[in-house]
Structure formats: C-alpha cells, structure tokens
Amino acid sequence: MHLLALALYHRDGRPTPRVLPFKPGKLNIVTGWSKTGKTTLVDIVDHCLGRRRTPLPQGLITDTVGWFALLIQTGTSRVFVARRHPRTGSTGDAMLVFGDHRLDVPTADQLRVNSNSESIRSEISGRLGIEDHLIHSPDGSAYNVHLGHALPLCLQRQTEIADSGRLFHRQADHEVFTALKNGLPYFLGAAGPEQAARKQQLLTTTRRLAVLRRTFDQARRHASSSTTVRTALARLAHQAGLIAELPASLQPAELETLLHAALETPTHIPTPRAEPGLADRLSAERRTLTHDLGEVDDALRLLDLWAQQTADLTGQLHTQRSRLTPLGVLATRDDGHDTCPLCTQELPEADPAINALSQLARELEQELTDLDALAPAREQSRRTLTAEREQLVRRVRENAVAEQALRDNNRALRRAQDQREQQALVRGRILQALQQPAADDSVDLSALRREIARLEELRGDLQHHVDQDDIAAETEIRLGEVARNMTAWARELGLEHADTADDVRISPTTLNVVVRTSGRRIPLDQIGSADNWIGYHLVAHLALHLYFVEHQRPVPHFIMFDQPSQAFFPEEHVHDAATLEDADWQAVRAYYRLMHEVVTQAEGRLQVIATDHAHLASTPWFRDAVVANWRDGDALIPADWLAH
C-alpha cells in the first residue's frame, strides 16, 4: 500500500482540488518554510484512513478545506478515500471508491458520501491482507486487528520523532500503546490466525468430547435391557479398573454383585507430580543459556583474533631481530668507548648509532619476552572459556531433556486425569443402572466409543501444539532480524553507544529502542540529545518497515517522517533551514542518505515521505526526491484559496 496523492477540496465547492502527488516505492520529500502546512500532512493521512478523532489544526485549514482525500495504490488496483473536515460535517462521513490504474482524483462535484470511517478501515484491511486475528486484552475484551492498529507503525509527527520515551505514533495513548504491544507480534509474523485457530479448535473439540461422553452415558443407560446394560457396565468397570476380574459368563445375580463391588472399589491411580511454574523456568533458563553460550563464543573468537594478532606481531619482531643479529657483537662500555662491530677494534669515542642499535636490539628482546609471557595467560583463558562452553552446552542439553520430560509428565497428568474421569463416569452410570434399568438398542455404542477415543487423541495433539506456541520467543527472534539493520545503520550514523553496542533493538515490552552493550541495556530515554533520539527513531522505523516488505507482512508499506532534521537547526522555530549556514548539514545529509539507500534496497516496495525545512538542492538524489518545495508563497493551502 503506497500513497499516490493527497488532495484538499475547498469548502465553497470549487471544482479543482489542491493535489499533492507522491511517487510510489520512492523517497518523497516535501520541503519548505515553516507554517506552510508540512506538519499537517501526517494528521491528514491519519484522518483519511479512518481515525475517529484527528487533531487537525484550526485556522486556514478550518476556514478553507471541506474534504480531505487520498489516492492509494494497493497492488495493481487503486483506492480513493475522502473524508469531510470535522467542522463541516460528521467525522464518520466518507467516500470510498475502488478502481484500476485509471482511477484518479475526482473533481469536487463528484464527491459523494457512500461510506464511513469504519468501512474505510475494514475494506483497506482486507486489501492489505490483514487476517481475522483475535487479540485478547488484559481487561477481558477481545478485538480483531485492522488497519487502525497498523497505522501507528507508519506515521511520525514532529514531536514523536524526537521523543526519547516513545517510538511509535500516538504511543502516549494507553489504548494505542496496548494495541501496539498486542498487535506487534502479529504484524511481525510471530502470531497469527493459526495459533488462534488452534486454541479455538481445542475448545471446540473439548466441548464436542463432553457432548459425546454425555451421549455415550445415555446410550449405555438405555442399551437393550437391564441385563445387557449391566453386562456392559460390568465390562466398562473392568476396563476402568473398578473390577479386577470379569467371568466369561455373567448371570444377573453376579452382575449385581460385581456392579456393587465396582462402586465400592477405591481408586488407585498414580498421579505424576507437576511442579508449578517449571515450564516458564525452563524456558527462561534456555534463553539465558543460549545468551551465555553466545557470549562465550564471542569471547573465544576474540581470543583467536588476539592470538593471530600476537603471532603476526611476534613474526614482525623476529624479523627485526634477525636484521640486527649481525650487530650482536656490539657492546657499550661504561667508559664511553665502543668496539667496532666489523674489526672488533676499540673506538676512541662512542658511536651514537651503535648505541641506538644496541638499545633497539634490547627492546626487541624485551618485547619478545613480554609476548611470550602473555601466552600462558591467553591459553589459560582459552581453557577456561572452553570448559565453560562445554558446561553450557551440557546444560543446554540437560534443559532440553528436562523440557521433554516435562512434556511427557504433562501428558501423563492428562492421562491420569482422563482415567479418573472415566472411573467417576462409570460409577455414576452403574449407580443409575442399579436404580433405574432401561431398554434401548437404538444407539451404536461401539461407534460412540471410537469417536470419543478419536477426539481424545485429537484434543491431546491440539493441547500439545497450543503448549508449544511461544509467541514471545518468536517475536524476539523476528525483532533480532530487525536489530541487525538497526545496529548497522546506527553505527553508520554515528549514534551514541552504537559503536560499542552488541546490538540495537526494539523492546516488545516498552515499545522503545534499547541499546545493549557490555552486559547493559540502555533505553533510549537514557541517551542524551535530540539528534540521537531522531537517529534511533529513523533506524528503528526503516529497519522495521524493511522487514515488513521483505516478509510481505500486512502493514502499509509507507512511512511518514515529519521534520527529521529539526535537531540540527539553531532555532526552535526556524523559518527556512535552506538558508542556515551553521546547521550540521553533514548529519542531515546522512539521515536522508539512509532513507534513500533503504528505499533503494527495498526495490520499489517501500515508500518514505519526509516533510522538512531542509533542502539539499546540491544533492542530485535529494533534488529528485522533492515532490513539493513550499517557499516564496507556495504552501499546502494555495494562495488563491485565501483570497475568497
């Protein structure tokens, strides 16, 4: 989903709208002076795509605009959406039109109310491929994900891109924060309808199994005659362990005795012990062990690099020493006289060059001695790390064995519970049969029994798969893939802590950037300066959206950045950044170069729209990306609109 154009319609009904075109799959830049309407573009897009309450600015827009509209490309088709200005009509009134590549922005007289904001989100959600994925909120409510939950991933207002405490659009709203936190695993592909479908199938199977068991009970109670019923109950009691031995031929009197005995037989079913919270502890231990193993492997690689560098240096020192070997006969005496290294004659005066060469030889010998002295410590460190790694590998294996044992134990628990339930069921049936015999041969008991067994097996398999679904772990894995680009780009921009970071990633719990370095986790709100906050916002959103397009996730494949260069201007309310000489234009260029490179890497699948005071007119790719330059009287609201 890319934006092809944004359109404004005058409230007086004049036919020609104000159209701002965009290039799909490209970097689009709207540059210009302050107070020309650039910042409003994010709110207009948010409003057109179905937001209920949009904080559109009052003033010129309120006085002149009657409708806001977007022309959208989704795959090979187009969608035109338009919504009235909240001051001129119901905020729910909307126009929605679908078409092919010929669909364009209509004239004002073609605007019609044929939809509403809810329909906009529903229709576009379907075209994006957002599936029916039910999310359960902590308050007990449930809702399906839709376009409104994806849009906060695509918009960055001026105040949000420089916010150290929040990463996403409208994240300060608790409801939006909760929806983002619950919906991010789905948009990353860590959770989806298949997990929800498994849970629903498990619930349906359990209910169906309960119904069949009741039906089976009724059929057994009404099977044939009293003797037939009691014979069947006796056999069932034997299968459930309530009757130890069952005679080959059963008489009514014997049946009566056996059934009464079955009612009095105590239950002896061994129940495996289940340690509460063990699964969570094992899962946490596995993650910790995997992390520790990675750190040990990194340390071993550093030792290998150190050893290689030491070997290279030792070789160089030996080469230097071998060159000085012919001078080994040099000797400096206390009286200041030296011996000639060629003829062994005593020199009348000390030769500084000979002294220098002798000193150099001694220094080389000392350096070689020092390097040799370091070798045992390095080898000891290697042995220690290797032993630690072997222990970690052993513990990882033990953890896997423990998890398998836990799964086996859980299955045993379910089997024991099923057996107890079966015995309780049989006792109830026997009691009813002894009190009120019945006669009904219309039900196929064997078919019922087979179906119950099939459903019990199906329920066990479904329960096993539901237990295996670990959405949190899958989310971390996918955010780890996003973190690789975040880390590389943060270093490329020279952001604080990036050069020493193990990685830079998005926290799925705080929904903010976290820098992990030297065993520490540094959240973005503990890193100073607005240029770092903006830089980390850029790398986070660009990396996240590159992941979305590469994995074809159902998220609009565009992102809007408002004023990404604001941290480099000397004034808070700069009129025209293009005229400033003391701004850090190298940093601004680096920000936009990163946007340009990521869009290029996405090969037409990602659209970036940036609004800014900055204008790098001398940079060809920046100049080509400019879709509007609002200076010298040009602005979002045309000048001729203000004359009426």
Side-chain angles (χ1 to χ4, degrees):
M1 172 181 167
H2 293 171
L3 304 183
L4 297 179
L6 181 148
L8 307 182
Y9 292 84
H10 201 288
R11 63 184 304 177
D12 65 7
R14 62 184 65 187
T16 305
R18 167 67 153 124
V19 178
L20 174 63
F22 298 116
K23 294 176 283 188
K26 301 288 185 181
L27 172 62
N28 296 256
I29 300 173
V30 178
T31 181
W33 293 348
S34 62
K35 299 181 180 180
T36 54
K38 300 185 303 297
T39 296
T40 312
L41 297 180
V42 171
D43 294 329
I44 293 174
V45 171
D46 204 1
H47 176 67
C48 288
L49 292 177
R51 183 175 172 185
R52 294 187 183 91
R53 296 179 299 277
T54 308
L56 292 168
Q58 303 298 310
L60 290 179
I61 291 182
T62 304
D63 297 337
T64 58
V65 178
W67 287 76
F68 302 95
L70 291 176
L71 183 62
I72 301 168
Q73 178 175 303
T74 58
T76 58
S77 61
R78 291 184 176 185
V79 182
F80 175 78
V81 295
R83 291 186 67 191
R84 287 182 173 178
H85 193 291
R87 293 289 298 272
T88 63
S90 169
T91 57
D93 289 347
M95 178 178 178
L96 184 62
V97 180
F98 300 100
D100 56 19
H101 65 281
R102 294 170 295 183
L103 180 64
D104 206 346
V105 176
T107 57
D109 58 351
Q110 295 174 310
L111 295 178
R112 298 288 185 275
V113 175
N114 65 356
S115 186
N116 55 48
S117 58
E118 295 297 329
S119 296
I120 289 175
R121 291 196 165 180
S122 176
E123 292 290 344
I124 296 181
S125 294
R127 289 177 175 262
L128 283 174
I130 297 178
E131 304 162 287
D132 290 335
H133 176 57
L134 194 65
I135 291 180
H136 295 274
S137 298
D139 60 4
S141 62
Y143 55 88
N144 279 309
V145 292
H146 54 69
L147 174 66
H149 301 124
L151 276 180
L153 303 171
C154 305
L155 305 174
Q156 285 280 279
R157 301 183 82 249
Q158 179 178 0
T159 54
E160 293 167 340
I161 196 172
D163 190 340
S164 64
R166 302 174 182 88
L167 181 60
F168 297 108
H169 179 55
R170 300 175 57 209
Q171 186 175 329
D173 185 327
H174 177 71
E175 183 179 348
V176 175
F177 174 82
T178 302
L180 278 168
K181 187 175 179 179
N182 294 332
L184 185 60
Y186 167 75
F187 291 119
L188 287 168
E194 59 275 10
Q195 286 90 349
R198 273 196 289 268
K199 291 182 179 179
Q200 183 60 40
Q201 188 179 3
L202 176 60
L203 178 61
T204 302
T205 302
T206 301
R207 290 174 177 171
R208 174 62 177 162
L209 190 56
V211 170
L212 284 181
R213 282 174 172 166
R214 288 194 297 270
T215 303
F216 182 79
D217 291 343
Q218 294 170 1
R220 292 298 300 267
R221 284 195 303 267
H222 297 82
S224 183
S225 63
S226 175
T227 301
T228 304
V229 170
R230 294 183 182 191
T231 300
L233 286 174
R235 290 172 179 167
L236 188 60
H238 176 64
Q239 293 174 357
L242 297 175
I243 298 177
E245 294 182 0
L246 195 64
S249 177
L250 294 172
Q251 300 301 319
E254 293 176 319
L255 283 173
E256 188 84 11
T257 302
L258 285 172
L259 293 178
H260 279 289
L263 290 176
E264 298 173 358
T265 300
T267 301
H268 295 290
I269 301 175
T271 301
R273 295 182 60 189
E275 184 178 345
L278 180 58
D280 293 339
R281 293 198 298 274
L282 288 174
S283 179
E285 181 187 41
R286 182 180 70 251
R287 290 193 294 271
T288 300
L289 290 174
T290 303
H291 176 268
D292 293 345
L293 186 59
E295 290 189 343
V296 170
D297 287 339
D298 290 343
L300 285 171
R301 283 192 290 271
L302 287 176
L303 277 178
D304 290 339
L305 178 61
W306 182 22
Q308 181 60 45
Q309 292 175 345
T310 301
D312 294 344
L313 179 58
T314 301
Q316 294 174 7
L317 292 177
H318 277 294
T319 300
Q320 294 296 327
R321 188 179 65 176
S322 65
R323 293 174 179 170
L324 295 176
T325 299
L327 303 179
V329 296
L330 292 174
T332 303
R333 301 190 330 200
D334 294 337
D335 57 5
H337 294 279
D338 290 331
T339 301
C340 177
L342 299 179
C343 63
T344 70
Q345 294 293 326
E346 183 178 297
L347 298 176
E349 295 181 357
D351 190 334
I354 295 175
N355 287 336
L357 290 173
S358 298
Q359 179 63 27
L360 178 59
R362 286 190 297 271
E363 290 176 354
L364 288 175
E365 288 294 337
Q366 183 60 44
E367 288 187 20
L368 286 170
T369 300
D370 292 343
L371 287 175
D372 290 340
L374 290 174
R378 186 172 59 249
E379 290 305 316
Q380 178 60 37
S381 296
R382 181 185 300 280
R383 287 192 295 271
T384 300
L385 287 172
T386 301
E388 183 178 352
R389 188 183 190 281
E390 291 174 353
Q391 183 180 9
L392 286 172
V393 170
R394 176 182 57 79
R395 292 180 61 192
V396 168
R397 293 196 186 105
E398 291 174 351
N399 178 271
V401 171
E403 287 188 326
Q404 182 60 47
L406 178 61
R407 289 191 290 271
D408 295 340
N409 188 69
N410 288 338
R411 284 194 291 270
L413 279 171
R414 289 193 293 272
R415 286 194 297 270
Q417 180 64 28
D418 290 343
Q419 188 174 359
R420 284 193 294 271
E421 291 176 357
Q422 182 68 15
Q423 287 188 349
L425 175 66
V426 172
R427 282 196 175 93
R429 293 285 292 111
I430 291 174
L431 184 60
Q432 290 179 349
L434 291 175
Q435 293 174 348
Q436 186 179 356
D440 185 0
D441 297 326
S442 62
V443 179
D444 188 345
L445 296 177
S446 60
L448 269 178
R449 189 181 296 109
R450 288 193 299 270
E451 180 64 11
I452 289 173
R454 185 187 70 81
L455 289 179
E456 286 176 341
E457 183 178 359
L458 175 60
R459 185 183 66 171
D461 290 340
L462 288 171
Q463 186 66 58
H464 173 71
H465 285 297
V466 169
D467 292 342
Q468 291 299 308
D469 289 337
D470 191 343
I471 295 176
E474 290 296 327
T475 301
E476 286 289 359
I477 290 173
R478 285 158 175 76
L479 288 177
E481 185 174 340
V482 175
R484 285 195 289 272
N485 281 330
M486 289 179 61
T487 306
W489 297 340
R491 291 170 180 165
E492 182 180 328
L493 294 180
L495 302 180
E496 188 174 353
H497 298 297
D499 56 340
T500 59
D502 295 331
D503 72 356
V504 179
R505 62 173 52 230
I506 298 171
S507 167
T509 54
T510 64
L511 296 184
N512 205 352
V513 174
V514 175
V515 180
R516 300 196 306 182
T517 175
S518 301
R520 294 187 301 154
R521 291 172 60 89
I522 308 175
L524 185 59
D525 57 8
Q526 294 182 16
I527 300 175
S529 76
D531 56 335
N532 284 311
W533 303 337
I534 295 174
Y536 277 117
H537 273 247
L538 284 176
V539 300
H541 283 279
L542 290 172
L544 192 60
H545 275 265
L546 187 61
Y547 176 91
F548 289 152
V549 299
E550 289 179 344
H551 292 78
Q552 300 180 354
R553 298 305 303 155
V555 177
H557 291 168
F558 74 85
I559 183 169
M560 298 184 71
F561 294 116
D562 183 27
Q563 309 293 349
S565 66
Q566 60 184 283
F568 304 102
F569 299 143
E571 300 178 25
E572 182 178 358
H573 301 291
V574 63
H575 178 61
D576 187 7
T579 64
L580 297 175
E581 297 182 358
D582 53 348
D584 190 348
W585 290 110
Q586 183 176 358
V588 173
R589 185 173 286 104
Y591 280 6
Y592 277 97
R593 183 185 299 111
L594 177 61
M595 297 183 213
H596 172 70
E597 291 173 351
V598 173
V599 169
T600 302
Q601 182 179 345
E603 298 178 337
R605 294 171 295 173
L606 177 62
Q607 180 186 42
V608 174
I609 301 173
T611 60
D612 213 324
H613 300 305
H615 184 35
L616 306 176
S618 62
T619 304
W621 55 261
F622 186 99
R623 188 171 59 247
D624 294 341
V626 173
V627 295
N629 186 357
W630 291 341
R631 290 178 170 82
D632 299 322
D634 195 10
L636 176 63
I637 303 298
D640 61 336
W641 283 24
L642 306 179
H644 298 279

